[in-house]
Amino acid sequence: MTTPPALLIAGHGTRDDAGAEAFRAFVRELGRRRPDLPVAGGFIELSPPPLGEAVAELVRRGVRRFAAVPLMLVSAGHAKGDIPAALAREKERHPGLTYTYGRPLGPHPSLLRVLERRLAEAVDPSWDPAEVTVLLVGRGSTDPDANAEVFKAARLLWEGRGYAGVETAFVSLAAPDVPSGLERCARLGARRIVVLPYFLFTGILPDRVRTQTEEWAAAHPDTVVRSADVIGPEPELLDLVLERYEEAVRGDLRMNCDSCVYRIALPGFEDKVGLPQQPHFHPDDDGHHHGHGHGHAHSHSHAH
C-alpha cells in the first residue's frame, strides 16, 4: 500500500500568543483526525515554529513527500509568493524532498455557514435579518486580487440570506478602513450593524477590529452595533483543510490567475509582473543548510 503524502500547514503568523497557540492546536487536531498522516505546521513570520522547522520535523519522521496547504482565507502575497519561495528553499535544504502546493481556503460554502453562525450568535434573536446590515472586515492587502476576494465573500454571504446588506472593510493596508465602513453602513440607512471579522483565529488584527468598532459605536449611540467572533477551529474548517489537502494530492488545484498582479499588468501594479519571490526571513529559522535564503530568488508561479 502506497503511503500518502504528509500534510504541511502554512500559517501567516501573529504576535498574539493566543492566536499562535490556536493555530498550533488546530494542527494537532488535524493530526488526531488523520492518524494515518504525518501532520506538521509552521509560520511564515512572527510566531514559532517557522515553516522550515515544520518541514524539518516531517523529514525527521521519514517523510519524503508532502502536500502543503496555506491556512489563509485569501490568495495574497503570502500564499502567492512567500510560501512557494519558502517551500522551494526547503527543497534545496532537503535533497530528494518533493511536494505539491494547495490553494487557500477562499469563500467556501462551509466557511460561509460558519460566518452565518457567528452572525446569529451576535444578534438579538428577535431581530429581522432584513433590518441587519453586516460589515465583513478582512485583513487587507496591497494585492488588489486579494482584496477583491473579500468582496466576493461578502457578496456570497449576502446572497439568499435576507440581510439588508453586506458591506466590506479592511483593518490594514487597504480602504475602506473599519470606521469608514461603519460610516458607509450608516449613510445607507443602517440602524443595526454587525461587524463580522473575516479571520480564522484570534489575534492582534481581529482585536483591533473590535476596538475600532467599539470606538465608533460609542460615538454613534443612535446606531446599534454588535461585534461577531472570528471563524475559529470549527469542524467545517478542519474538513475544508483536509479537502484542500486531497485536492493538492490529486493535482486538482484550479487556482484563479486571471487577476494576479504577478501575471497580469493591473493599473498601478505594473511593476509586479514577473517579480521574483523570496522566502520570508523567520527569526526562529536558523538556516541550518543554506543560510536564510536571501540569495535565492524564486520566480512566482501558481501550481495548476
Side-chain angles (χ1 to χ4, degrees):
M1 182 175 178
T2 304
T3 303
L7 170 57
L8 175 70
I9 305 298
H12 179 284
T14 174
R15 292 185 177 88
D16 181 78
D17 291 339
E21 179 52 32
F23 171 92
R24 292 188 288 262
F26 184 81
V27 172
R28 291 192 294 270
E29 181 59 26
L30 280 168
R32 284 190 287 269
R33 274 201 169 206
R34 288 292 301 269
D36 58 314
L37 290 181
V39 178
F43 295 103
I44 290 297
E45 59 182 359
L46 302 175
S47 316
L51 195 62
E53 184 177 310
V55 173
E57 174 192 336
L58 291 176
V59 171
R60 286 193 297 270
R61 294 164 67 179
V63 168
R64 307 309 295 163
R65 299 185 303 141
F66 68 85
V69 175
L71 197 67
M72 298 171 184
L73 289 166
V74 302
S75 186
H78 287 294
K80 290 179 178 179
D82 297 328
I83 297 173
L87 294 176
R89 177 185 61 192
E90 295 310 311
K91 190 174 181 180
E92 293 178 0
R93 287 177 169 177
H94 305 283
L97 192 66
T98 62
Y99 64 88
T100 56
Y101 182 44
R103 57 178 172 146
L105 305 176
H108 192 278
S110 62
L111 293 186
L112 295 174
R113 288 194 294 272
V114 178
L115 292 174
E116 191 173 12
R117 282 209 302 275
R118 295 293 176 256
L119 289 172
E121 294 162 359
V123 303
D124 189 304
S126 66
W127 289 2
D128 181 350
E131 298 177 349
V132 176
T133 299
V134 178
L135 182 64
L136 184 70
V137 180
R139 175 181 295 272
S141 173
T142 57
D143 185 334
D145 186 35
N147 296 330
E149 289 189 31
V150 181
F151 275 81
K152 180 178 181 179
R155 180 68 194 192
L156 289 171
L157 183 63
W158 180 77
E159 292 278 359
R161 290 179 172 83
Y163 301 115
V166 180
E167 297 296 319
T168 308
F170 301 96
V171 73
S172 65
L173 299 175
D177 59 14
V178 175
S180 298
L182 286 163
E183 189 65 30
R184 174 176 170 80
C185 291
R187 287 177 178 268
L188 289 172
R191 291 293 174 262
R192 292 171 174 171
I193 304 171
V194 179
V195 177
L196 179 61
Y198 194 43
F199 287 82
L200 294 175
F201 303 125
T202 58
I204 289 175
L205 292 182
D207 288 348
R208 187 181 301 168
V209 173
R210 186 176 289 269
T211 298
Q212 291 179 354
T213 298
E214 292 172 350
E215 291 172 350
W216 189 92
H220 299 79
D222 293 336
T223 304
V224 178
V225 184
R226 300 279 180 88
S227 290
D229 286 332
V230 296
I231 291 171
E234 294 293 287
E236 291 94 337
L237 182 58
L238 289 157
D239 291 342
L240 178 54
V241 170
L242 291 173
E243 182 179 325
R244 292 290 186 254
Y245 163 80
E246 296 292 348
E247 288 176 354
V249 170
R250 295 193 308 265
D252 179 22
L253 299 179
R254 295 173 290 163
M255 186 171 283
N256 176 21
C257 296
D258 291 342
S259 52
C260 173
V261 292
Y262 298 108
R263 289 180 177 269
I264 307 299
L266 299 179
F269 296 88
E270 293 87 352
D271 61 325
K272 290 185 178 291
V273 176
L275 191 68
Q277 301 296 304
Q278 292 184 338
H280 258 301
F281 165 63
H282 195 298
D284 295 327
D285 188 335
D286 62 7
H288 52 281
H289 288 295
H290 295 286
H292 296 300
H294 288 294
H296 301 277
H298 304 282
S299 296
H300 168 83
S301 64
H302 290 320
H304 290 276

